Amino acid sequence: MGRITDEPIAGCNSGPPPMSGTLPTGRPRDLRLDFFRGLGMFIIFIAHVPNNAWNNWIPARFGASDATEIFVFCSGMASALAFGAVFRDRSALLGAARTAHRVWQVYWAHIGLFCIVVAMIAWFDTLVGSDFYTTRLYVRPFLEDPASHLIGLMTLRYVPNYFDILPMYLVLLAMMPIIATLGLANRWLAFALMAGLWLVAQADYLSLSAEVRAGVEREWFFNPFGWQLVFFTGFAFMMGWIKAPPIKRSLVVLAVAILLLNVLFASRFGWENFDFVYQTRDLAMWTFEKTDFGLMRYVHFLALAYLAYVAAGEGGRRLAGAGAWGAFVRTVRRVGQQSLAVFLSSMVLAQIVGALLDVTGRTPLTIAFFNLAGFATLVVVATTVAWFKHQPWRRPHQPAAGAAKVERASGVERLTLEPAR
């Protein structure tokens, strides 16, 4: 099994650059991509802690889209930067091989995450003397019939809801050689396939089963044939197939209007205060649907992404700086740079925090403490992973002051001491 790493993310100055030249491994990382991926990682952690009151204030509670769109969109952008030049400059075969290597890594990350979390919550059950934790996470079928569910897990035919993001990501990666090859020939061919797959998914003609039990029907919570639209939108931006939108007052006003309409039609603030919202939304419920990635989720995310793009400034200049703001941005970027490792850790950590809150009780103080402690832990994880990736043990060794040194003179070894400086 290969090393599980995040793919390199190159920088861009005033919007996504066209793919040209060689792989952009020597360019600085994009402040915006790392920063917003990092924010997404913190939001994903909050959303996965069971019965977390902070979950009521994440972006998903104010509109149709949530941190999943951030994760998938940014993953598409990062994939273009990591793999796009291989498809263009080498060959489709080598690009597919490069992608297959990444699929292999993410596949084993998914299997490892499932085994660790299920083993951990099964141990929690032994501590409380019940099946509370495995029931809460809906993994009792796996424990009651491990043989068929283990086969289903390994073949991605059994996908429990808590563990459904990485399988979706695997399918998106597997689709990338097709989209990249078509797009490099003619970008409109790639766009046509993207739109066609999304439309078929909206009509419920294309989905994957998430159950191995006879008589139980359940599809993947994240249908990859719907969600590929946002992934390959990010991919297309970084491949240069789509130009970055201009910063115009009219577009800003339009984006703000979309967000406000979402607060009315896609949040509790509208549902709880206006009766007509239910009637109107019922007419277009499919556009808000998460499994197949409904149209309103896409529109809301694009509006949110555009405003974030405007707020960050050209080349992300407002994300650079010193002082407290600069330190905050650097910390969030560090988390975004190690998003796969942080995501895996957050899924484990969320269950630990949920269990601790079950013991301490969910008061405003305990909820704040454990959420902030979780954030700090994710920062430590990102910092540690970055240190290991840097491989400091491979640097040339510099003898410390006063260290012993062996000299060779006329074939005779002489032990001397380096003077301290």
Side-chain angles (χ1 to χ4, degrees), residues 47-50 113 117 137-139 159-165 343 346-351:
H48 285 90
V49 173
L113 174 66
V117 171
L137 205 59
Y138 311 110
V139 295
V159 181
N161 283 348
Y162 190 77
F163 306 94
D164 41 24
I165 294 182
F343 172 78
S346 72
M347 299 294 278
V348 177
L349 184 61
Q351 292 302 307

Side-chain angles (χ1 to χ4, degrees), residues 237-269:
F237 267 114
M238 298 312 290
M239 290 292 286
W241 302 345
I242 303 174
K243 293 183 179 180
I247 298 177
K248 298 171 59 176
R249 179 174 299 179
S250 59
L251 291 179
V252 171
V253 171
L254 177 61
V256 171
I258 291 172
L259 297 191
L260 293 177
L261 286 173
N262 269 264
V263 172
L264 179 62
F265 289 100
S267 79
R268 66 183 187 276
F269 301 103

Side-chain angles (χ1 to χ4, degrees), residues 75-98:
S75 295
M77 297 177 74
S79 295
L81 289 165
F83 307 129
V86 182
F87 283 100
R88 187 199 62 247
D89 297 337
R90 303 298 297 276
S91 67
L93 180 61
L94 287 179
R98 177 76 174 88

Side-chain angles (χ1 to χ4, degrees), residues 30 41 58 63 67 72 79 99 115 150 159 216 234 241 275 296 321 338 363 378 391 406:
D30 191 310
M41 292 301 102
I58 63 175
V72 175
S79 295
T99 305
C115 293
L150 183 58
V159 181
V216 179
W241 302 345
D275 293 337
M296 284 307 302
Q338 313 300 336
T363 67
L378 297 183
Q391 299 182 356
V406 175

Side-chain angles (χ1 to χ4, degrees), residues 2-11 23-25 29-30 33-34 37 74-84 86 95 97-106 169 173 176 231 336-341 389:
R3 267 192 314 130
I4 297 175
T5 63
D6 281 325
E7 299 299 343
I9 302 170
L23 276 168
T25 54
R29 296 176 72 101
D30 191 310
L33 186 51
D34 286 340
R37 279 213 301 183
C74 290
S75 295
M77 297 177 74
S79 295
L81 289 165
F83 307 129
V86 182
R98 177 76 174 88
T99 305
H101 179 252
R102 185 60 171 171
V103 169
W104 177 254
Q105 293 175 319
V106 177
Y169 183 41
L173 287 174
M176 189 164 56
F231 178 87
Q337 289 166 359
Q338 313 300 336
S339 61
L340 179 58
K389 284 184 180 180

